[in-house]
Amino acid sequence: MEKKRINTKLQVQELIGNSDVALSHQDINRMLEQSCDRVTIYRVLDKLMGEGLIHRIIDVDGVSKFAACHGCTKEHHHHHVHFSCTVCHSVTCIEEVEPHFQLPEGYKIQEMNITLSGICPDCSAS
Ligand SMILES: [Zn+2]
Ligand SMILES: [Zn+2]
Ligand SMILES: [Zn+2]
């Protein structure tokens, strides 16, 4: 019998890409059809980040979550904000909001981590 080879990287990329909210390492581990060891998932996440396919968000609880990138190359160039819900703990990319800062001369922004916290539409509806 031929052994079915499962491409963890592709699976993780798909999970993140198909999700409306950012996923934590734990979420990914739970969602994978075949459980992987923690190290493998970390390695895959690092790789995907390096390739500009996903980005990391730290939520209000200090948990790392991962969301898909759109049109990033090796360098990430999105400056959108993230919303972290204090009720359901979901983290969402708000791609249409990109704040701009006027910094003093000599400062060059490379990365921006802005996470707003509050109540998401799903939680305010119920
Ligand atoms: Zn990116
Ligand atoms: Zn919520
Ligand atoms: Zn994002």
Side-chain angles (χ1 to χ4, degrees), residues 36-120:
C36 282
D37 58 291
R38 296 174 64 84
V39 183
T40 306
I41 298 175
Y42 277 124
R43 209 175 291 149
V44 165
L45 289 169
D46 264 353
K47 218 170 187 176
L48 290 171
M49 277 195 287
E51 290 174 15
L53 296 167
I54 61 169
H55 56 283
R56 190 206 304 264
I57 305 132
I58 311 289
D59 78 358
V60 276
D61 305 309
V63 177
S64 289
K65 300 222 174 174
F66 302 88
C69 286
H70 302 108
C72 279
T73 50
K74 277 193 167 55
E75 295 224 348
H76 293 267
H77 44 65
H78 38 74
H79 295 311
H80 60 262
V81 303
H82 293 105
F83 194 91
S84 184
C85 179
T86 53
V87 180
C88 67
H89 299 277
S90 68
V91 173
T92 318
C93 292
I94 313 279
E95 308 219 22
E96 51 273 59
V97 179
E98 292 198 4
H100 289 278
F101 293 96
Q102 202 78 53
L103 290 180
E105 223 180 74
Y107 291 94
K108 189 171 172 276
I109 298 174
Q110 285 185 314
E111 227 182 282
M112 219 152 52
N113 285 304
I114 300 177
T115 306
L116 309 169
S117 64
I119 300 164
C120 78

